[in-house]
Amino acid sequence: MALLELRRAVYRVGQKNILDGLDFAIDEGDVHALIGTNGTGKSTLARLIIGSEGFRLSSGQIVFDGRDVGTWTMYERAQAGISMVWQEPALFEGISVRDYLSIGRGHADLSQCLAQVGLNPDDYLDRPLDKSMSGGERKRIELASMLALRPRLCILDEPVSGIDLVSVRSILAVIRRIQQNGSSILLITHREEVAGIADKASLLCGGKVVMTGVPDKIIQNYKARHCVVCNGRECDYAAD
Amino acid sequence: MPLTDRFIPLLNASGIDRGILDDRETAHIAADGQSLLSRRSIPGLSIKIDENRESTKVDIRIARDTHIVNPVHLCFALLHGIGSQNFSVHVVLEPGAKADFISHGLFANAQVVKHTMHKLIEIGDGAQAHFTDSHIHGLSGGIEVNSTAQIKVGKHARYGADFSLTSGRVGWLDLNESIQADDYAVVEIVSRVYGHDDDSIKINEEVSLNGRFSRSMIKSRVALEGEARADIVGITEGRAEGSRGHMDCMEIIKDQAVGQSTPVVKVSHPLAKITHEAAIGTVDKKQMETLIAHGLSPEQATDMIVLGMLR
């Protein structure tokens, strides 16, 4: 059963349709990878789903758990269970890791959440979430926050960017752990090894989802640059 | 009822342990208006006070190489809603001495109050002093705070100061600090202020890095809402070889509030270097969205960001 559906979604900026009649669905409990080259609108799609300020569909619907949430505020969507890890998470002054992980955490064990993303709680719980933290550390803490928060839908935008190569495998394990905690996951990536852990994958091109299926098949098409929408003439994906 | 008994509820309400007035190993002074309520000198630290209806003078001297273990508490209060307070405080740390000072400005009852403070602080060679100056104001906004400080920091000495006025209305604040740093001296000053309604905030902090390899950091964190106004001026001058200074001002503005930051950088030695950064604006959108996506309301997210910045 679909937890999230985008139906005939159009998002227009000026004369250009960033999303052009896109249909897309994520089943409850799945890790669903969304693949596409840079500039195809993956992060824009994430912002439309989360309800980021200034991001509303020009037409079409965003249906979450059977309700059209397209006009809902970001806060209302978060209350309904949609959360997100941005590609470059925000830094804060005067807010500790403990403060941050405590937001809406329910009964989660914060130390355990940190340990699960490979960070020693004794070293990190009282550290400020400020610019003294590296991009990789910050990204791990963001993933720990998803373990603590347990949203119904967790959007991960390029979750391994800023993560060193040897740690990518452990981050992928964390993504599985977030899923095991009960979250469905929209995994936005342009890296095939990341998409490979998903239950399903979709290929975004020319403002549409051009293909959905098992990750291996979608990745093959992605690597072959075979665009069924524009046949190599128009979209960024084909022109790459 | 002894004056100190009237003072205790004010301490308690401000979250300050009343035991600081009783502890024989903790130096302190406590004043209500121009009246001295209590004071304690300890070995190595002498306090002399010249009470005067116009301006009370306090002299604190810490003997050479003396390390004061417990923070020295300086409590300045006005128990009544109307009145004025005028103090001149002269602090001397002789070479090698070390002490932390916690200054409490307790004006929670202020309706029409004027608090004037003149500080002269001399930190001898190799000495270290840190001042935490925390003001607690009421909600009326009828308070005027005028504070000036002149600080001399000796060779290899350290001076730190952390001023905060984040509880209650600021009222009218005029804070001026001028610091002279000698060879290898280190200066770190932080001010944190939260202005509401029609509060007016003026902060002027000036550091002269006169000595070789002296260093300084001026950090300002200001949040404004309503029709509050803030004018923050940071001046750092590098006058000697290897002197390094940095100024960092951040202001978060809401409603019709207006913030202004003026960093002034002066370098008069080719091997000195001064840098600055300033950010003034509304609450950062990326921070807001991150917190909202974690379940906070926009109001809760704003509070968390602002209070974090002022922490």
Side-chain angles (χ1 to χ4, degrees), chain B residues 31 42 60 67 69 122 137 150 153 156 200 244 269 309:
Chain B
I42 59 174
I60 300 174
H67 291 193
V69 176
E122 298 175 69
H137 290 188
Q150 290 182 300
V153 188
H156 295 277
S200 172
R244 296 282 183 270
H269 191 286
M309 183 194 73

Side-chain angles (χ1 to χ4, degrees), chain B residues 7-311:
Chain B
F7 198 69
I8 299 305
L10 199 58
L11 285 180
N12 290 339
S14 306
I16 300 162
D17 179 10
R18 59 167 292 173
I20 61 173
L21 299 183
D22 301 325
D23 185 358
R24 293 182 176 279
E25 295 178 356
T26 299
H28 76 263
I29 62 168
D32 171 29
Q34 297 304 112
S35 304
L36 185 72
L37 304 180
S38 174
R39 70 165 153 177
R40 173 172 287 116
S41 297
I42 59 174
L45 184 152
S46 66
I47 298 176
K48 292 180 181 172
I49 294 180
D50 178 12
E51 279 188 82
N52 187 301
R53 287 184 62 181
E54 301 301 320
S55 175
T56 295
K57 292 179 181 170
V58 178
D59 277 291
I60 300 174
R61 179 173 288 270
I62 301 176
R64 189 181 190 99
D65 294 326
T66 302
H67 291 193
I68 304 299
V69 176
N70 295 336
V72 181
H73 287 265
L74 312 173
C75 305
F76 299 99
L78 267 168
L79 301 180
H80 300 291
I82 298 173
S84 65
Q85 184 173 55
N86 190 344
F87 268 76
S88 291
V89 178
H90 183 195
V91 178
V92 177
L93 281 89
E94 294 182 354
K98 185 177 177 183
D100 290 337
F101 296 80
I102 300 179
S103 180
H104 311 279
L106 306 176
F107 306 104
N109 302 325
Q111 297 293 327
V112 183
V113 161
K114 183 173 182 179
H115 167 76
T116 304
M117 174 68 67
H118 301 287
K119 285 184 207 158
L120 174 61
I121 300 170
E122 298 175 69
I123 302 171
D125 293 348
Q128 295 182 33
H130 189 275
F131 289 76
T132 302
D133 191 355
S134 176
H135 273 238
I136 295 176
H137 290 188
L139 300 176
S140 81
I143 180 167
E144 180 180 331
V145 174
N146 193 331
S147 176
T148 61
Q150 290 182 300
I151 298 114
K152 294 176 184 173
V153 188
K155 292 181 175 64
H156 295 277
R158 296 182 77 99
Y159 169 69
D162 194 332
F163 175 86
S164 70
L165 206 176
T166 58
S167 176
R169 290 277 307 276
V170 172
W172 192 89
L173 171 68
D174 193 348
L175 192 67
N176 283 279
E177 195 162 25
S178 174
I179 302 162
Q180 309 281 325
D182 209 330
D183 291 353
Y184 294 94
V186 177
V187 174
E188 290 182 4
I189 53 177
V190 183
S191 53
R192 309 166 207 269
V193 184
Y194 196 169
H196 316 265
D197 296 326
D198 62 350
D199 288 343
S200 172
I201 298 157
K202 289 184 180 177
I203 297 176
N204 188 319
E205 292 166 321
E206 182 171 357
V207 179
S208 294
L209 297 170
N210 302 327
R212 295 169 61 242
F213 299 98
S214 52
R215 289 180 285 141
S216 71
M217 162 67 110
I218 300 176
K219 186 172 169 181
S220 308
R221 295 291 181 265
V222 176
L224 301 171
E225 64 178 14
E227 297 178 354
R229 299 282 185 275
D231 184 1
I232 312 299
V233 179
I235 303 170
T236 303
E237 181 168 9
R239 291 177 161 173
E241 176 194 354
S243 56
R244 296 282 183 270
H246 184 69
M247 293 178 284
D248 175 3
C249 178
M250 185 185 291
E251 297 184 42
I252 292 178
I253 310 295
K254 296 196 288 180
D255 308 324
Q256 283 76 51
V258 177
Q260 179 173 307
S261 170
T262 310
V264 179
V265 174
K266 299 180 189 175
V267 174
S268 53
H269 191 286
L271 296 178
K273 185 176 180 181
I274 312 296
T275 55
H276 71 85
E277 57 186 308
I280 305 180
T282 187
V283 181
D284 183 79
K285 183 182 168 188
K286 189 172 179 179
Q287 292 178 335
M288 281 288 286
E289 292 197 333
T290 299
L291 296 180
I292 292 169
H294 281 71
L296 294 187
S297 69
E299 294 75 22
Q300 289 171 323
T302 300
D303 284 349
M304 189 166 188
I305 293 164
V306 169
L307 296 177
M309 183 194 73
L310 294 174
R311 194 174 287 168

Side-chain angles (χ1 to χ4, degrees), chain A residues 171-186:
Chain A
I171 294 301
L172 299 182
V174 172
I175 294 170
R176 277 289 182 205
R177 208 164 281 135
I178 294 171
Q179 180 191 29
Q180 286 158 8
N181 272 358
S183 298
S184 307
I185 296 172
L186 171 56

